C-alpha cells in the first residue's frame, strides 16, 4: 500500500524495560518458513522479520506480550514463550 | 513469607482481580493481589468502552471519581472498503439511569484507580512479581510460587487474563487456539480536547464509539474501532487469528492503512502517537468456556474466556468485573463455611449462570460461527458502499433505484443474502 508501516517508530514511543539477560521468547533452530510467515504477518510489534536475502530475524525487545505468536506457533516453531520476569517488558502509560 | 497464610491470593490486578480484591477486603478477608506489571494496569490494554452496569452495582456512581475518559453518546457503525465508507450514526443524551451508561477508558489509569479502591479497603498489592506456578497439594490449590518464593492461601483466584498460563498448568484452561481468538492492535493518538469535540461533534465529557467493518481487518473477521478519550483517541484493529496466513497484509499494516483511509485520516490529522499496544482477545464464546472451579481455585475474566465478540463490538470488561464479583461472593461463603473445596466454591458458577454473564454468553453462542464468514467483512461492506456511491453519484440521467441496486445485490448472490439474513437473525 501507499504508506508502508514502520512499526519500530511506533514502538519507539512506548516505555519498555528490556531484560537484557533473559529472552522471554525463543525460536527453535531453523524454524519452518510457513509457520514463520504467519508470525511476520500477525505479530503486532512486527518483531518477526525476513531480510531481502531470505535470512530471518527475531528480537524480543519491543514485545507487547500479547501472546499472538504463542497462539499461532507455540507448538511449532517457538521453543519458549513466557511473560517477561516481573517488572520487565512493556509498561503502558495509557493502555 | 510462607508463615503468613492469606485467605485468598489473587493473580492479576486487572479488572477481574481488583474487583474481587475490593469485595474480599470489604468483607474483611485477608487477600493479596500479585501482578507482574510495575503497577496495576501497566500490562493492560483494551479497545475502550466500559459498559458501566456491573461496576455500578459494586461502586455506585463510580464515574464521579474514577478516571473515565468520556461518556459515550455517539454511536457510529461503518461499512468500509479500501476507498469508501458508509456510516450509520446514532446519538442519545447521556442516560439518566447510571447503569445504562458506558464510558471510554484507558486501562493504565483506570486499573490503578480500581486497585487503590481495593487497597483502601485493606487488600494487599504486590506489583512487579510474575507468578510462575501454583502450589497444589492432594489436588487442592494452596498458594502460589514466584521465583523461589512460595506464598500460601486457602484459595487462589486466577485473574491473569487471556493466555492464562497458570490455568493451563492446572489443566483447567486449554491453550487458546487461533480459531478462538483475535489479535487487537491499537494506537493512542493525542489531540486537544477541543479538536476531539469538533471532529466528533461532542461536548466536553461526552464522546463517540465508532466501529468499522470491512477493510480494517483486510476483509476478514475482525474490524476497526475509534474511541474518543478526554484528550486522545484510541484507534485500533482487531483481526481473527485463524485467518493469519490468508492475507499478505500484516496486522501493523492493517492499522496503518486504516489510519490513512480517507474517512479516518482527517480525524487523526495533526495528532501525536503516544502509545502503541497489542493484546489477544478471547473469542471462543460459550462453546469454549473452561472448567472454572476446582478445589482451592476459581478462574475469572479473560482467563476463563469470559469475553464476547458481538460482531460490532468486543465486550470483556463488564464481564471481568462481574466475574470478579462472583468469585468474591464464592470466596466469602467458602471462608464462612471454612471449606474451600470445589463443591463450596461452585457458588461461583451458579452466580455466573444467574447473572448477565452466562446469559449473554449463551445468547451470543452462535455468533462467532456466523461472523466467521468473509462475506460479512468483505462482500457486504463493498456492496453497501458501492450502493451508496451509486445513490449519491449524479453524472448524467439517473436510473431507477431498483436498477442501481440490483447489480450490487446480484454480485453477493441473493441466496447468500437470504441465508446470512436468516442465520444472522437466529444467532442474535
Ligand atoms: C483490542 C481489544 C479491544 C477490546 N475492546 C473492549 C471494549 O471496548 N469493551 C470491553 O468491555 N472489552 C473490550 N476488550 C476486552 C477486555 O479488554 C478484556 O476482556 C478485559 O480487559 C479482561 O480483564 P481481566 O481482568 O480478565 O484481564 P486483564 O485485564 O488482562 O488482566 C490480567 C492481569 O493479570 C496479570 N498477569 C497475567 N499473568 C500473570 C502472572 N503469571 N503473574 C502475575 N500477574 C499476571 C497481568 O499483568 C494483568 O494485569 C477488548 C480487548 C482487546 C484486546
Ligand atoms: S507476544 Fe505478541 S508482540 Fe510479543 S513477539 Fe509474540 S506476537 Fe509479537
Amino acid at each position: 500500500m501507499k504508506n508502508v508501516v514502520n512499526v519500530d517508530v511506533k514502538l519507539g514511543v512506548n516505555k519498555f524495560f528490556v531484560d537484557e539477560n533473559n529472552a522471554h521468547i525463543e525460536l527453535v533452530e531453523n524454524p519452518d518458513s510457513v509457520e514463520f510467515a504467519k508470525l511476520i504477518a500477525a505479530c503486532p510489534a512486527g518483531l518477526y522479520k525476513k531480510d531481502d536475502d531470505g535470512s530471518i530475524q527475531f528480537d524480543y525487545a519491543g514485545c507487547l506480550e500479547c501472546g499472538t505468536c504463542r497462539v499461532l506457533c507455540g507448538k511449532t516453531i517457538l521453543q519458549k514463550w513466557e511473560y517477561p520476569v516481573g517488572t520487565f517488558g512493556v509498561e503502558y502509560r495509557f493502555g | 513469607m510462607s508463615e503468613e497464610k492469606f485467605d485468598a491470593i489473587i493473580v492479576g490486578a486487572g479488572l477481574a482481580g481488583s474487583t474481587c480484591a475490593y469485595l474480599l477486603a470489604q468483607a474483611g478477608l485477608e487477600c493479596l493481589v500479585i501482578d507482574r506489571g510495575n503497577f496495576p494496569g501497566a500490562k493492560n490494554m483494551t479497545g475502550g468502552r466500559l459498559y458501566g452496569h456491573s461496576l455500578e452495582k459494586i461502586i455506585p456512581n463510580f464515574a464521579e471519581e474514577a478516571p473515565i475518559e468520556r461518556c459515550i453518546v455517539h454511536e457510529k457503525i461503518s461499512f468500509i472498503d479500501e476507498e469508501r465508507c458508509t456510516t450509520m450514526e446514532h446519538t442519545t443524551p447521556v442516560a439518566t439511569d447510571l447503569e445504562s451508561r458506558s464510558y471510554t477508558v484507558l486501562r493504565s489509569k483506570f486499573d490503578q484507580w480500581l486497585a487503590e479502591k481495593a487497597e483502601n479497603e485493606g487488600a494487599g498489592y504486590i506489583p512487579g512479581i510474575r507468578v510462575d506456578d501454583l502450589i497444589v497439594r492432594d489436588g487442592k490449590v494452596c498458594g502460589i510460587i514466584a521465583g523461589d518464593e512460595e506464598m500460601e492461601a486457602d484459595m487462589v483466584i486466577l485473574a491473569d487474563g487471556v493466555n492464562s498460563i497458570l490455568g493451563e498448568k492446572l489443566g483447567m484452561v486449554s491453550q487458546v487456539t487461533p480459531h478462538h481468538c483475535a489479535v487487537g492492535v491499537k494506537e493512542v493518538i493525542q489531540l486537544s480536547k477541543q479538536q476531539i469535540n469538533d471532529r466528533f461533534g461532542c461536548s466536553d465529557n461526552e464522546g463517540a464509539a465508532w466501529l468499522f467493518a470491512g477493510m480494517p481487518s483486510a476483509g476478514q473477521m475482525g474490524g476497526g474501532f475509534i474511541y474518543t478519550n478526554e484528550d486522545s483517541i484510541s484507534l485500533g484493529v482487531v483481526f481473527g487469528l485463524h485467518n493469519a496466513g490468508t492475507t499478505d497484509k500484516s496486522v501493523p499494516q492493517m492499522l496503518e492503512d486504516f489510519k490513512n483511509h480517507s474517512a479516518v485520516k482527517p480525524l487523526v490529522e495533526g495528532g501525536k502517537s503516544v502509545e502503541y499496544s497489542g493484546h489477544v482477545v478471547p473469542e471462543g464464546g460459550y462453546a469454549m468456556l473452561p472448567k472454572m472451579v476446582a478445589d482451592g481455585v476459581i478462574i475469572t475474566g479473560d482467563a476463563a474466556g469470559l469475553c464476547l465478540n458481538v460482531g460490532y463490538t468486543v465486550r470483556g470488561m463488564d464481564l471481568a468485573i462481574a466475574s470478579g464479583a462472583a468469585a468474591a461472593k464464592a470466596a466469602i461463603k467458602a471462608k464462612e463455611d471454612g471449606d474451600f473445596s470445589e463443591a463450596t466454591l461452585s457458588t461461583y458458577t451458579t452466580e455466573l449462570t444467574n447473572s448477565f454473564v452466562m446469559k449473554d454468553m449463551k445468547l451470543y453462542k452462535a455468533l462467532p460461527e456466523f461472523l466467521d464468514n468473509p462475506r460479512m467483512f468483505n462482500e457486504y461492506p463493498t456492496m453497501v458502499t458501492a450502493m451508496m456511491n451509486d445513490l449519491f453519484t449524479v453524472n448524467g440521467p439517473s436510473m431507477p433505484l431498483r436498477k442501481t441496486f440490483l447489480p450490487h445485490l446480484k454480485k453477493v448472490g441473493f441466496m447468500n443474502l437470504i441465508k446470512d439474513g436468516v442465520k444472522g437473525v437466529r444467532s442474535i
Side-chain angles (χ1 to χ4, degrees):
Chain A
M1 287 285 294
K2 311 137 259 166
N3 300 284
V4 178
V5 65
N6 185 334
V7 195
D8 294 337
V9 170
K10 298 198 183 203
L11 294 173
V13 302
N14 284 2
K15 191 164 170 186
F16 288 107
F17 298 97
V18 180
D19 186 351
E20 306 285 354
N21 302 319
N22 183 17
H24 67 285
I25 301 173
E26 281 171 17
L27 280 164
V28 298
E29 265 173 59
N30 303 317
D32 176 69
S33 62
V34 176
E35 289 292 293
F36 195 80
K38 288 188 202 163
L39 303 185
I40 297 177
C43 170
L47 300 179
Y48 296 87
K49 294 180 180 150
K50 195 171 189 173
D51 290 341
D52 294 338
D53 66 1
S55 65
I56 59 163
Q57 278 181 31
F58 168 69
D59 185 356
Y60 65 91
C63 174
L64 302 170
E65 302 160 31
C66 66
T68 299
C69 55
R70 176 172 189 260
V71 172
L72 290 173
C73 299
K75 295 197 171 102
T76 56
I77 60 169
L78 297 187
Q79 61 175 5
K80 175 178 177 189
W81 194 101
E82 289 174 354
Y83 283 121
V85 175
T87 73
F88 285 113
V90 70
E91 183 168 303
Y92 291 132
R93 291 160 297 134
F94 297 88
Chain B
M1 249 193 207
S2 58
E3 317 82 67
E4 199 184 343
K5 184 175 167 191
F6 292 90
D7 291 326
I9 291 177
I10 299 169
V11 185
L15 297 177
S18 283
T19 303
C20 186
Y22 176 80
L23 292 168
L24 289 184
Q26 211 170 42
L29 270 70
E30 266 183 42
C31 68
L32 182 69
V33 188
I34 306 178
D35 199 284
R36 60 193 188 83
N38 283 318
F39 53 84
K43 298 291 184 185
N44 303 340
M45 70 83 97
T46 191
R49 179 186 203 150
L50 171 69
Y51 287 94
H53 65 124
S54 51
L55 191 54
E56 198 63 51
K57 291 198 176 73
I58 298 161
I59 308 177
N61 212 1
F62 72 92
E64 276 293 304
E65 52 168 308
I68 51 119
E69 299 295 320
R70 289 172 185 251
C71 183
I72 294 171
V73 296
H74 295 297
E75 312 277 353
K76 297 186 185 199
I77 298 184
S78 294
F79 281 125
I80 185 169
D81 64 18
E82 292 300 329
E83 277 144 13
R84 299 163 297 205
C85 179
T86 302
T87 304
M88 194 167 79
E89 190 171 345
H90 174 72
T91 300
T92 53
V94 174
T96 43
D97 163 30
L98 295 179
E99 285 199 18
S100 304
R101 290 188 189 168
S102 65
Y103 309 93
T104 46
V105 292
L106 290 166
R107 294 289 299 280
S108 188
K109 280 195 255 174
F110 195 82
D111 289 14
Q112 282 186 76
W113 167 79
L114 190 59
E116 266 167 37
K117 293 290 287 181
E119 255 184 323
N120 292 343
E121 295 292 336
Y125 273 77
I126 309 188
I129 299 280
R130 182 187 70 191
V131 174
D132 298 318
D133 212 339
L134 298 164
I135 308 171
V136 184
R137 261 184 238 117
D138 303 326
K140 177 186 179 297
V141 178
C142 317
I144 63 101
I145 304 171
D148 34 65
E149 290 226 58
E150 296 196 353
M151 281 179 235
E152 305 241 346
D154 283 329
M155 68 172 300
V156 173
I157 292 152
L158 294 182
D160 54 341
V162 68
N163 313 306
S164 173
I165 294 173
L166 298 171
E168 287 173 24
K169 281 193 174 160
L170 289 177
M172 294 169 73
V173 175
S174 44
Q175 192 184 321
V176 198
T177 74
H179 279 275
H180 303 114
C181 72
V183 55
V185 55
K186 173 176 112 167
E187 241 176 277
V188 177
I189 301 167
Q190 212 154 46
L191 290 162
S192 74
K193 225 168 164 174
Q194 194 56 46
Q195 275 171 321
I196 292 171
N197 291 355
D198 294 344
R199 292 178 191 192
F200 293 88
C202 307
S203 42
D204 285 359
N205 308 323
E206 296 180 357
W210 194 345
L211 301 150
F212 298 78
M215 70 73 74
S217 49
Q220 306 277 10
M221 187 162 167
F225 61 80
I226 291 179
Y227 293 103
T228 55
N229 303 315
E230 187 181 7
D231 56 4
S232 65
I233 69 166
S234 294
L235 175 97
V237 167
V238 173
F239 177 72
L241 277 181
H242 55 294
N243 288 316
T246 59
T247 155
D248 290 338
K249 209 190 253 194
S250 74
V251 168
Q253 187 66 53
M254 289 177 200
L255 181 62
E256 190 63 12
D257 290 348
F258 175 46
K259 191 178 164 185
N260 282 295
H261 191 282
S262 58
V264 175
K265 201 172 176 182
L267 301 171
V268 298
E269 195 84 65
K272 184 176 163 222
S273 238
V274 289
E275 192 163 84
Y276 182 76
S277 55
H279 207 274
V280 162
V281 193
E283 298 198 321
Y286 190 69
M288 292 306 296
L289 293 177
K291 178 173 161 60
M292 293 186 218
V293 181
D295 288 344
V297 65
I298 289 180
I299 309 182
T300 61
D302 269 10
L306 295 171
C307 192
L308 280 167
N309 170 6
V310 290
Y312 49 92
T313 180
V314 176
R315 253 180 72 196
M317 291 191 279
D318 55 328
L319 283 77
I321 290 166
S323 68
K329 209 163 181 181
I332 293 165
K333 170 145 198 329
K335 170 81 182 170
E336 276 165 15
D337 295 1
D339 172 11
F340 296 86
S341 66
E342 179 175 338
T344 311
L345 293 178
S346 292
T347 26
Y348 172 63
T349 31
T350 316
E351 191 73 18
L352 287 184
T353 308
N354 295 332
S355 75
F356 77 93
V357 176
M358 282 307 170
K359 287 182 184 150
D360 286 6
M361 292 295 297
K362 265 188 212 156
L363 184 65
Y364 294 113
K365 175 165 81 173
L367 208 57
E369 207 185 315
F370 166 69
L371 288 173
D372 188 17
N373 168 350
R375 278 197 295 278
M376 295 298 150
F377 301 94
N378 195 14
E379 274 90 340
Y380 292 147
T382 310
M383 177 185 91
V384 173
T385 55
M387 278 162 51
M388 286 300 146
N389 216 52
D390 288 356
L391 182 66
F392 293 119
T393 307
V394 174
N395 52 11
S398 301
M399 272 202 286
L401 274 189
R402 179 171 38 87
K403 279 206 182 140
T404 322
F405 283 176
L406 264 181
H408 297 301
L409 300 177
K410 268 195 188 141
K411 225 177 187 171
V412 176
F414 289 114
M415 282 314 278
N416 282 333
L417 277 168
I418 294 167
K419 207 166 66 190
D420 291 338
V422 171
K423 272 207 225 162
V425 170
R426 278 216 196 116
S427 67
I428 44 179

